[in-house]
Amino acid sequence: MNSAVGGIAFLADFAIGGSIAISYGFTSAFWGIIIAALVIFLTGIPIAYYSAKYSVDMDLLTRGAGFGYLGSTITSLVYASFTFIYMSTEGAIMAQAFEMYFHMPLPIGYLVSSLVVIPLVLFGMTALSKLQVWTQPVWLLLMIAPIAAIIMKDPGTVSAWTHFAGKSPSGAAFNPLFVALSSGVVLSLISQIGEQADYLRFMPTLTKQNRRKWLWAVMIAGPGWVVIGAFKELSGSFMVSFIAPSVGFDVADQPIQMFVKAFGTFIPSAFVVLTIATFFVVLSQIKINVTNAYSGSLSWSNFFSRVLHFHPGRVVWLFLQVAIAIVLMEAGLFNFLNTVLGFYSNIAVAWIGAIVADLVINKTLLKISPSYIEFKRAHLYNFNPVGFGSMIIASILSIMAYFGLFGATLQAFSPFLSLVVAFILAPVIALATKGKYYIARQNPFQGALTELAASSNEVTEERVEESNSTGEQSPTHDHSHLHGLVGPYAELIPAPNNNGEYECVTCEFDYEQEDITYCPFHKGMICSLCCSLEKECGDMCKK
Ligand SMILES: [Zn+2]
Ligand SMILES: [Zn+2]
């Protein structure tokens, strides 16, 4: 649980808050951060809940929330982009610290800060997550102490902050277009819920007894990350207003500059200050980038195993991820942060908007989407127009708006346009297609559960009818009713082993019923991974 709050360490928030304060002035940056944080928090609630309740990561959740089996491969790419954009942002922050402390040129610093994560991802994940838990109080202290020290030493810094104009043409004043543009940059972090879901999926089962505690834990580990995130963004804008007069706008949004000045207010020795600040920056950045590299490599693996049935092992994808991050850094991503993040937001928001609309409207209110999360190839259509279609249309419209095709107002508000379009289209397409593309072949395990819950009456009535017409119960149903299984191939599913698990015919490992299903091509039970790698079956199980 503690490790889920790992997000507190990353410093990109400081850079983002600082960078938008410089571009748009205090008031617009402030409201931009608050509004984006609200959107991220609210959309995070249903995603965190479903991810924890059904033990699924973001990719599996996306499949079952209106995107279909292959429809979610495109969101794997959107998520992979999030991890490499942020990996290079965080890596650049580390390289800036190397430059200041070791006088290491930035291009070399970029290489070092990226390559260092490879051995850590391969060998050091467990040690690192333990370290993360133990050092959390230290991070909080190192983050809050300098800001508190600055304000206590000179309370006038607060009013300097609220009057900070940066380079903004409207000064420190409120400008709705600048609020929207600031929000657009911060909203790129909406995909962070994917990293939170990687922790949430290991939550214990929700029961009547643990309900309150469970919900709190899910809120804190899920959307809760953005509370600290927004605090860090506001701190970044404060730090920029504090240091810009002495270091200039060009480097004021670099976290190492912020922390060197900030620690300098209460530690006299310049060398000690630089050492502490560098240590702080490097350790935070290594932690977050190990996560970014790991999550990114998983997304690549998800994408290629499904699209090309190609599964060379995660190390290959780890190298790909690191290579992309290096290229972005060397291309100077940090200098175009607002532009890159603002553009990315259009697509990320479309994705999250379509999922949330499916979870909240289609599943809960309209009940047109299955109440559970189905993620297996054998039971899903490749593409479900509900989420997939809404996301594509919302992305295209908001990117057109982003490039100014619909005028200046919608240009600034493009991620909000994306959110509204995705949110409206998902239920509209679900109703138009009558929910036909959610399930291609009934999942016998799930079918048994839902039927049991939905209507025990109907089953009895059916059975009475059957016995009336034939004089006895239909013998062909006996085997499936024995296990309570219904749907295609249900009668071919063998009894589970003593652990309640089934052996996969292909890889011969044992799996719980959530991860295995019957395959008519292999004539036996097959696990989700072997099923997704199968090239020859032609999806015969769904025909
Ligand atoms: Zn298998
Ligand atoms: Zn199949």
Side-chain angles (χ1 to χ4, degrees):
M1 174 53 45
N2 267 325
S3 50
V5 203
I8 65 167
F10 64 78
L11 298 179
D13 281 325
F14 286 91
I16 291 173
S19 160
I20 57 178
I22 292 173
S23 300
Y24 308 117
F26 166 78
T27 314
S28 299
F30 178 86
W31 287 110
I33 291 169
I34 299 296
I35 292 169
L38 260 175
V39 172
I40 294 174
F41 188 85
L42 292 176
T43 53
I45 295 172
I47 293 179
Y49 177 83
Y50 275 90
S51 160
K53 187 169 176 199
Y54 294 97
S55 309
V56 286
D57 67 10
M58 207 51 192
D59 178 59
L60 303 185
L61 179 74
T62 304
R63 295 182 200 181
F67 281 71
Y69 177 71
L70 289 181
S72 82
T73 53
I74 192 143
T75 66
S76 285
L77 291 186
V78 174
Y79 185 58
S81 319
F82 171 77
T83 60
F84 66 64
I85 290 173
Y86 272 93
M87 191 172 159
S88 53
T89 308
E90 308 281 0
I93 292 172
M94 195 178 349
Q96 290 154 4
F98 288 152
E99 188 192 30
M100 205 173 193
Y101 193 77
F102 301 112
H103 304 290
M104 183 189 282
L106 279 178
I108 298 175
Y110 293 152
L111 266 183
V112 174
S113 65
S114 313
L115 295 177
V116 71
V117 300
I118 293 178
L120 285 168
V121 172
L122 294 179
F123 310 110
M125 286 294 276
T126 337
L128 215 76
S129 54
K130 268 187 201 142
L131 182 82
Q132 197 151 310
V133 174
W134 286 107
T135 52
Q136 228 138 61
V138 184
W139 296 124
L140 271 179
L141 190 72
L142 282 172
M143 232 171 261
I144 297 170
I147 296 165
I150 295 170
I151 296 176
M152 265 152 37
K153 208 162 181 182
D154 177 10
T157 51
V158 175
S159 107
W161 177 40
T162 57
H163 292 93
F164 181 70
K167 296 178 185 169
S168 169
S170 30
F174 181 89
N175 176 332
L177 293 189
F178 288 171
V179 172
L181 287 169
S182 303
S183 268
V185 177
V186 180
L187 275 171
S188 59
L189 283 160
I190 203 166
S191 303
Q192 174 64 27
I193 194 68
E195 247 158 56
Q196 305 305 116
D198 285 338
Y199 299 107
L200 288 164
R201 64 182 304 193
F202 298 110
M203 282 287 293
T205 314
L206 171 63
T207 62
K208 269 208 173 87
Q209 290 76 37
N210 71 4
R211 192 175 170 80
R212 259 185 104 92
K213 244 180 98 183
W214 189 93
L215 284 173
W216 266 110
V218 169
M219 286 302 113
I220 291 169
W225 82 264
V226 81
V227 176
I228 296 165
F231 170 79
K232 287 191 293 180
E233 285 144 19
L234 292 174
S235 304
S237 73
F238 171 73
M239 301 270 234
V240 151
S241 73
F242 177 66
I243 68 168
S246 52
V247 303
F249 288 137
D250 283 347
V251 294
D253 58 353
Q254 298 187 1
I256 183 70
Q257 302 278 355
M258 299 177 184
F259 284 99
V260 164
K261 284 275 171 196
F263 286 121
T265 54
F266 61 101
I267 303 171
S269 156
F271 177 75
V272 174
V273 166
L274 191 55
T275 307
I276 295 179
T278 305
F279 177 77
F280 172 65
V281 169
V282 170
L283 227 62
S284 321
Q285 297 317 86
I286 287 183
K287 273 163 58 170
I288 187 66
N289 265 359
V290 167
T291 312
N292 278 330
Y294 177 77
S295 301
S297 65
L298 279 183
S299 298
W300 290 118
S301 159
N302 271 331
F303 177 78
F304 283 103
S305 66
R306 264 177 298 163
V307 175
L308 304 175
H309 307 288
F310 174 54
H311 194 59
R314 260 219 351 273
V315 183
V316 174
W317 306 127
L318 177 62
F319 279 95
L320 175 70
Q321 174 81 357
V322 171
I324 296 174
I326 292 174
V327 169
L328 285 180
M329 277 188 240
E330 302 288 354
L333 173 91
F334 195 84
N335 303 320
F336 307 99
L337 210 53
N338 288 353
T339 316
V340 174
L341 297 181
F343 175 79
Y344 174 78
S345 285
N346 295 304
I347 305 159
V349 166
W351 170 34
I352 300 294
I355 293 182
V356 171
D358 193 75
L359 297 177
V360 176
I361 304 176
N362 298 357
K363 282 194 195 301
T364 313
L365 296 176
L366 300 176
K367 301 198 190 307
I368 197 166
S369 175
S371 63
Y372 61 97
I373 303 293
E374 181 55 79
F375 56 83
K376 284 193 278 303
R377 176 189 184 188
H379 302 293
L380 284 173
Y381 280 99
N382 281 339
F383 292 95
N384 182 349
V386 172
F388 186 74
S390 336
M391 178 193 167
I392 297 292
I393 296 170
S395 300
I396 292 173
L397 285 177
S398 64
I399 288 172
M400 286 165 78
Y402 178 83
F403 284 111
L405 267 73
F406 309 133
T409 309
L410 279 177
Q411 181 167 29
F413 282 88
S414 66
F416 294 93
L417 174 73
S418 181
L419 185 66
V420 171
V421 171
F423 217 79
I424 294 175
L425 275 186
V428 167
I429 298 177
L431 289 171
T433 55
K434 301 195 175 69
K436 212 166 82 190
Y437 298 100
Y438 282 103
I439 301 292
R441 161 192 156 196
Q442 192 185 355
N443 180 335
F445 295 124
Q446 200 60 52
L449 281 179
T450 356
E451 264 191 27
L452 202 74
S455 53
S456 46
N457 292 340
E458 260 171 51
V459 176
T460 343
E461 275 164 28
E462 242 172 61
R463 285 203 171 212
V464 171
E465 245 169 60
E466 259 177 76
S467 10
N468 284 349
S469 56
T470 60
E472 56 179 32
Q473 281 185 4
S474 163
T476 51
H477 280 97
D478 269 356
H479 189 82
S480 54
H481 281 164
L482 198 65
H483 305 304
L485 304 180
V486 280
Y489 309 113
E491 69 282 1
L492 296 172
I493 293 178
N497 66 22
N498 292 337
N499 301 325
E501 295 182 331
Y502 300 85
E503 188 185 280
C504 171
V505 280
T506 311
C507 65
E508 301 185 343
F509 284 105
D510 287 350
Y511 292 90
E512 292 178 8
Q513 66 175 45
E514 285 82 11
D515 295 314
I516 199 154
T517 196
Y518 184 80
C519 171
F521 182 73
H522 285 282
K523 300 202 170 38
M525 300 299 280
I526 190 166
C527 76
S528 301
L529 179 63
C530 292
C531 177
S532 41
L533 295 176
E534 177 54 59
K535 284 179 240 193
E536 315 286 330
C537 68
D539 282 347
M540 68 178 276
C541 61
K542 294 184 262 184
K543 283 170 186 146

